Each structure stands twice: as C-alpha cells, then as structure tokens.
C-alpha cells in the first residue's frame, strides 16, 4: 500500500492511537527505501528512519496503574473555579493518562500563573469550612455534655425528693398541714420523676 509522504506517518499514528487497547505495548512506523510507511510491532531496520509509538496499556493493567499512580484529589478542589479545578485534576491524573513529565511541569506552571488567586481563595474557603465544621462538632459535643449534666442533676433532685418522701412517710406525728404538704410534694415528685 502506497501513501503520500506527508500523509503516511500521520495517518498511521492516528490509526495506532484509535486502535486503543488492541495494539501491543509498542508499535513502529517504518519507511521502506521507496518512502512507503509501514506499521510493525518490531523495531525499524537500523538503516531506515522510524518512529516508535508506545501504545496504550491493556484495560486491566491500565486500571491497576491508574489506581496506583493517581493521588487523592486536593482538599480545596471543591472551592476552585471550573477552569482551575479542571487544570488541577489534569495535573493529578496526568501520570496515569501517560502525560510526560515535561507536559506535567508545563501544566503546573500554567496553573500557578493562571490560578494563583483562585487557589489562595479556595484554600482560605477550605480552612474556613474546616473551622466551621470543627466548631459545629465542638458545639454538639458541648450540648451533649450539658444535657448529661442536666440529666444527672435532675436525677439527684429526684433521688433527694424520694428520700424526703420516704422519711416523712415514716413519721407518725405529722400534722394535717404537713400531710397536705407531703401530698403536694409527692404529686410534684410523680410529675417530675416518675
């Protein structure tokens, strides 16, 4: 198959890229003596120019590589604007997608230049969110502690009222007024403690 020179190498590379996981780990685009481009899974002859294309990993290897190479998302990502969050995610997932170090460094430089203010504001919002969350947790904990104290105090009061009622019932010398007072005291005790 004969291809035009300017079209041949590009077309073969596109074909290799589109082939996805069907291709082997490395493919070679080689030229014959008459300029015809061919695709091979073997390196080009030493006397012929060629281009090496490293194909995508198999799906299972890609998944395990992705899991091992991708760091957790940045904590402040949720507070970044759409453009900066997309750039930061591109930097984070770049190694797993096969982005080389030079491109990653360029992405990082662009992020630092274009997103410096957005990043600072996002980190400030994250810090504020963490403070608010910690404050809410502390407040909930304090409310639970206060409730426990109120419950314990109410129980002490009920225990003391029960002791008083028990002591007055044992007495045989109560006057009519004291008996009425004891009846009211018992009624209050039942409404609060029973």
């Amino acid at each position: 198959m004969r291809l035009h020179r300017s079209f041949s190498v590009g077309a073969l590379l596109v074909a290799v890229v589109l082939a996805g996981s069907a291709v082997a780990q490395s493919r070679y685009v080689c030229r014959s003596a008459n300029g015809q481009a061919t695709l091979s899974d073997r390196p080009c002859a030493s006397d012929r120019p060629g281009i090496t294309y490293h194909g995508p990993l198999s799906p299972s290897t890609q998944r395990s590589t992705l899991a091992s190479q991708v760091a957790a998302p940045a904590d402040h990502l949720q507070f970044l604007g759409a453009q900066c969050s997309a750039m930061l995610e591109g930097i984070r997932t770049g190694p797993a997608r096969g982005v080389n170090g030079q491109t990653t460094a360029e992405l990082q430089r662009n992020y630092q230049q274009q997103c410096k203010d957005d990043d600072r504001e996002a980190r400030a919002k994250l810090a504020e969110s963490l403070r608010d969350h910690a404050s809410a947790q502390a407040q909930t904990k304090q409310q639970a502690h206060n409730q426990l104290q109120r419950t314990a105090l109410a129980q002490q009061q009920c225990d003391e009222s029960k002791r008083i009622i028990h002591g007055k019932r044992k007495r045989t010398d109560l006057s009519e007024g004291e008996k009425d007072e004891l009846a009211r005291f018992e009624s209050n005790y039942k409404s609060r403690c029973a």
Side-chain angles (χ1 to χ4, degrees):
M1 178 168 110
R2 188 159 174 86
L3 301 172
H4 290 224
R5 262 185 199 268
S6 61
F7 180 72
S8 61
V9 174
L12 283 173
L13 282 175
V14 169
V16 170
V17 170
L18 293 176
S21 61
V23 298
Q25 197 59 292
S26 294
R27 291 291 189 199
Y28 302 89
V29 179
C30 304
R31 284 208 181 116
S32 64
N34 63 3
Q36 182 179 349
T38 59
L39 180 63
S40 173
D41 60 347
R42 294 193 177 98
C44 303
S46 59
D47 61 337
R48 303 278 181 235
I51 300 171
T52 305
Y53 167 72
H54 297 280
L57 302 172
S58 68
S60 60
T61 309
Q62 203 167 21
R63 280 192 293 275
S64 64
T65 302
L66 183 66
S68 65
Q69 288 184 347
V70 177
D75 292 335
H76 67 294
L77 182 70
Q78 60 185 316
F79 300 106
L80 284 171
Q83 179 182 353
C84 292
S85 63
M87 288 175 73
L88 193 58
E89 278 297 278
I91 293 166
R92 179 179 77 88
T93 61
R97 292 181 292 110
V99 176
N100 65 33
Q102 184 179 0
T103 303
T104 301
E106 183 65 29
L107 284 171
Q108 289 170 335
R109 277 193 298 277
N110 289 342
Y111 179 81
Q112 289 167 357
Q113 290 171 358
Q114 297 173 20
C115 299
K116 182 171 63 173
D117 294 338
D118 196 10
D119 189 272
R120 185 176 54 249
E121 288 173 17
R123 289 177 189 276
K125 287 177 184 175
L126 172 65
E128 183 181 356
S129 173
L130 292 174
R131 281 193 304 271
D132 290 348
H133 181 68
S135 176
Q137 282 187 321
Q139 186 176 8
T140 301
K141 188 176 179 181
Q142 184 62 47
Q143 287 171 346
H145 177 72
N146 292 347
Q147 182 60 42
L148 283 174
Q149 285 187 322
R150 284 191 295 271
T151 302
L153 180 59
Q155 186 60 50
Q156 287 175 352
Q157 290 171 343
C158 288
D159 291 344
E160 180 63 17
S161 296
K162 186 177 182 180
R163 186 192 65 74
I164 291 169
I165 291 169
H166 185 66
K168 288 196 176 190
R169 280 187 182 167
K170 282 185 170 182
R171 287 180 51 195
T172 56
D173 61 339
L174 290 177
S175 68
E176 288 302 317
E178 288 175 322
K179 287 179 184 177
D180 289 341
E181 186 180 329
L182 178 58
R184 283 192 303 274
F185 195 78
E186 285 178 326
S187 176
N188 287 338
Y189 170 79
K190 286 177 184 175
S191 67
R192 287 186 299 110
C193 303

